[in-house]
Amino acid sequence: MKHANLPARLARKLVKTSKADTSLAFLLATLILGAGWIAFTSWGVWAADESRGRAFAPLLADIAYACLTFLSPADVFIHANTLPWQLEIGRNCALALTLLGVIKLLQRLSGPFVARVLMRTMASGHAIITSTDGAADGVAMATSRGGLPAALADPTLAKDDERMEQLARAGVIVVRGDSVTDMVLRGARMKQAASIAVWNTADASSLGTALELRAQAPTTFSEIAVRIASPLVQQALRAAPQLLQRTDARPARLRPISQIGSSCRAALGGPELVERCIHDGQNQVTGVLIGAGVGLQWVADLLLRQCWSHGLGGPYVEICGPAEEWQEWLRARRALLSNAEKIFDPDLIPRIMMRDSTDDPCIEVGDTATAVFVDLGDDQRSLTHAFELATRARSEGWKLTVRALLREQSALADFIDAAELPFDPPIVYEQAASLPVLLERGLDEGAARIHLAYMQGTAPSSIGVIDWGELNETMLHANRSAANHLPIKRADVTRLGENAGPAIEELGRIEHARWSMDKLLDGWQHGERDDIRLRHPNLVPWHALDGETREKDLVEYRNILAECARAEPT
């Protein structure tokens, strides 16, 4: 990402200072100048009148009036050479005080206007964030606070003074125009921007705006970030790679991003859940989801994708919430798993169960659960129910942990965390992250290495052997999922120790089941290889694979074993 130039940084500074609270230094300067103005002017009049010997009352009137004379041009510079030194100092203090007031007034009145002019004519290397319903305010403010100048194009800001005030305090430059496209192209200099994000509440609206902007994007632009919150919509987009992929006519690829998904992935990406399951002697990771919402859908998908480990069966997801709110997700996932017995070995078949609970959330969880996730649509209710479950688990001796899904951080969550209950830190999935953080490619480093290893071990003419930068979104996602599972693979090898080598065939069988689950959740089916229709011949049980294909599932484990061998002292 290129750096913002001086005009872009200056525009951010002008907007931020126009609404900033008056600084202590400014207040001290005003106080000192004001005191100097009054004190030295009064002193000068008193000293000039000592020879006259006038009555006290007229002298006091002259002292009060003398201060006021220096606030206007009259009688200030005309007789400058004849003024006593005290009045000369008082005159300069009054002048400086007047200039401070003028500067502060101009800063407040003209700062946003000058910033828009700079953004429209000279800025480059900045971020552009668009929205049509106010959903992008948090991302824009976090981006600006992180130091990257951010231009926000949102037509709903025109009559919302409170939001404008908040955005200005964070240094966000609000651009104007007849439409979002006009704001981005002319008001925010799209061709000179470092990054663009489309951030609407509705996924369909985000996608529509992104497609419209992509048609106008310059050839130098590589990608446009698009807020797609739902895992089902993201899956649908991965199943239509031609919609996201760059072409000669459309140089920018669309990159779906979900803050909710990123927060859930960060919380569940490590090996802690499977290690707890193994430590407690459970046969599989069992996740109980209480409530409904997009956050719990992401949790369910991540449990199915990630919770594969040596010694465990396929993951089990139990949903306890209003069935009508889960209907679309359940229909899609059950359709994908309809032929699971033809794809997975019997002991590795993943399962999903739904318990309809429309009125009250289920509290009868039992001691077979590995983790419970709660999202009742309201942070207070979610935390209260999670607290009740954690208290019950401790009293009953259940070996589980409880996590609430929150829209914003809560002090009550910190209290529960400190109460020594089986209550993990809540997953806060609506907290604003800056655009550079959302676009961070850290996970892609491991994913790219996995793809490189695949390329090096496959004939160049083979289907699927494509440079990393040219992979479509479904292939990128598959490599990211594999990279996300690496901590669990390393934990397996570490736990098995010297038995990891003999157990590598079993480890490969589990990795193949993980890969198959990941493919199914992205809409793939068994059939002759077709990356457009999402068909793959290897969606079969482990025993049905040939030796060459099995070896691909063992590559990462062999690499980890080699790393461990190199790390051992000689």
Side-chain angles (χ1 to χ4, degrees):
M1 185 178 292
K2 59 183 179 181
H3 297 291
N5 67 353
L6 180 60
R9 298 197 303 271
L10 180 58
R12 172 180 173 271
K13 184 71 172 178
L14 286 171
V15 170
K16 190 173 183 179
T17 55
S18 71
K19 299 297 182 181
D21 295 330
T22 303
S23 65
L24 179 60
F26 186 89
L27 290 174
L28 286 175
T30 304
L31 182 62
I32 292 171
L33 289 173
W37 161 49
I38 295 173
F40 281 101
T41 304
S42 302
W43 184 10
V45 173
W46 182 281
D49 195 71
E50 285 182 341
S51 59
R52 299 184 190 179
R54 290 190 297 167
F56 179 74
L59 176 61
L60 188 62
D62 276 355
I63 290 174
Y65 180 73
C67 298
L68 299 177
T69 62
F70 290 132
L71 291 180
S72 66
D75 203 35
V76 174
F77 294 103
I78 297 174
H79 305 295
N81 295 330
T82 62
L83 290 176
W85 67 270
Q86 296 96 332
L87 291 180
E88 183 72 19
I89 294 176
R91 180 194 69 169
N92 291 326
C93 287
L95 178 61
L97 191 64
T98 304
L99 288 174
L100 271 182
V102 171
I103 291 171
K104 192 68 176 176
L105 183 62
L106 288 174
Q107 185 185 62
R108 286 191 173 274
L109 295 179
S110 65
F113 172 76
V114 176
R116 284 195 296 272
V117 172
L118 289 172
M119 184 58 63
R120 192 182 187 96
T121 59
M122 302 172 65
S124 68
H126 55 287
I128 300 176
I129 305 167
T130 77
S131 179
T132 56
D133 52 18
D137 289 9
V139 174
M141 289 190 287
T143 301
S144 179
R145 287 173 181 147
L148 178 63
L152 177 60
D154 187 344
T156 64
L157 280 166
K159 299 179 180 179
D160 197 330
D161 294 337
E162 184 177 350
R163 284 174 58 205
M164 291 281 284
E165 179 85 11
Q166 292 177 344
L167 290 164
R169 286 182 175 274
V172 177
I173 303 104
V174 177
V175 296
R176 295 176 179 176
D178 298 330
S179 64
V180 170
T181 305
D182 180 59
M183 292 177 180
V184 171
L185 288 175
R186 293 195 292 174
R189 285 168 61 88
M190 177 181 180
K191 293 182 179 180
Q192 283 72 36
S195 55
I196 298 179
V198 180
W199 221 256
N200 297 333
T201 300
D203 291 346
S205 177
S206 291
L207 184 59
T209 304
L211 290 172
E212 184 179 350
L213 289 176
R214 182 169 69 172
Q216 306 289 336
T219 56
T220 56
F221 232 86
S222 61
E223 68 178 13
I224 297 176
V226 191
R227 181 188 186 271
I228 303 294
S230 167
L232 294 178
V233 177
Q234 288 217 6
Q235 176 206 324
L237 289 175
R238 288 194 295 273
Q242 66 277 8
L243 193 63
L244 304 178
Q245 195 77 352
R246 66 168 62 94
T247 64
D248 293 338
R250 303 181 311 230
R253 78 186 300 160
L254 302 186
R255 182 179 175 187
I257 292 177
S258 171
Q259 279 183 273
I260 302 174
S262 297
S263 299
C264 294
R265 189 179 296 108
L268 302 177
E272 293 80 14
L273 208 56
V274 296
E275 287 185 335
R276 179 184 290 123
C277 179
I278 293 170
H279 178 269
D280 294 339
Q282 296 177 341
N283 296 324
Q284 62 192 5
V285 172
T286 300
V288 178
L289 280 53
I290 298 178
V294 173
L296 286 181
Q297 291 179 12
W298 276 105
V299 170
D301 277 356
L302 285 167
L303 291 174
L304 292 170
R305 288 183 193 274
Q306 294 298 117
C307 293
W308 299 87
S309 181
H310 183 270
L312 297 179
Y316 174 51
V317 175
E318 183 174 333
I319 301 167
C320 185
E324 66 275 8
E325 295 189 36
W326 282 94
Q327 184 176 0
E328 185 178 357
W329 185 90
L330 283 169
R331 186 191 305 115
R333 296 301 176 250
R334 283 174 172 167
L336 295 174
L337 293 174
S338 59
N339 294 320
E341 69 280 356
K342 298 180 180 179
I343 298 172
F344 298 93
D345 290 333
D347 61 323
L348 295 178
I349 295 177
R351 292 179 297 150
I352 301 171
M353 191 184 90
M354 179 74 209
R355 283 198 286 164
D356 189 4
S357 177
T358 305
D359 299 325
D360 296 314
C362 303
I363 198 166
E364 295 297 331
V365 174
D367 59 354
T368 59
T370 309
V372 181
F373 302 89
V374 183
D375 184 0
L376 301 180
D378 175 81
D379 286 358
Q380 188 66 33
R381 287 187 64 210
S382 298
L383 281 171
T384 300
H385 192 70
F387 183 81
E388 292 174 0
L389 279 173
T391 305
R392 176 85 181 275
R394 184 170 65 175
S395 64
E396 298 284 349
W398 294 345
K399 297 177 180 179
L400 58 81
T401 186
V402 183
R403 302 193 81 159
L405 275 69
L406 307 180
R407 282 140 189 85
E408 59 184 26
Q409 188 61 47
S410 168
L412 181 58
D414 297 331
F415 164 75
I416 296 177
D417 190 31
E420 297 184 357
L421 293 170
F423 190 100
D424 281 359
I427 301 173
V428 184
Y429 59 74
E430 287 291 356
Q431 55 187 354
S434 68
L435 194 54
V437 170
L438 292 170
L439 296 176
E440 200 270 329
R441 294 284 194 176
L443 184 61
D444 280 3
E445 295 178 9
R449 284 196 295 270
I450 290 173
H451 180 66
L452 179 61
Y454 171 77
M455 288 183 64
Q456 291 174 342
T458 309
S461 59
S462 297
I463 297 175
V465 182
I466 306 171
D467 288 341
W468 174 256
E470 299 303 320
L471 284 178
N472 61 42
E473 195 63 29
T474 187
M475 295 298 183
L476 289 172
H477 188 266
N479 285 290
R480 289 168 185 153
S481 293
N484 210 35
H485 193 258
L486 282 177
I488 296 177
K489 289 183 173 68
R490 293 192 177 99
D492 278 347
V493 171
T494 301
R495 186 177 65 254
L496 289 169
E498 60 184 18
N499 294 321
I504 195 167
E505 186 77 10
E506 176 63 14
L507 291 171
R509 186 175 78 98
I510 295 165
E511 166 58 15
H512 178 67
R514 183 209 64 80
W515 174 87
S516 299
M517 184 75 254
D518 195 67
K519 285 291 186 185
L520 289 176
L521 289 177
D522 277 350
W524 289 72
Q525 299 177 29
H526 177 263
E528 186 177 348
R529 182 68 183 266
D530 188 332
D531 290 352
I532 302 301
R533 297 177 59 242
L534 303 184
R535 300 289 188 270
H536 205 294
N538 293 340
L539 284 172
V540 294
W542 174 256
H543 63 79
L545 297 174
D546 58 43
E548 182 181 352
T549 304
R550 289 189 183 190
E551 186 60 32
K552 294 177 184 177
D553 289 318
L554 301 176
V555 168
E556 283 304 315
Y557 282 109
R558 294 196 192 281
N559 291 339
I560 294 170
L561 286 170
E563 289 175 10
C564 294
R566 288 194 297 268
E568 290 180 358
T570 55

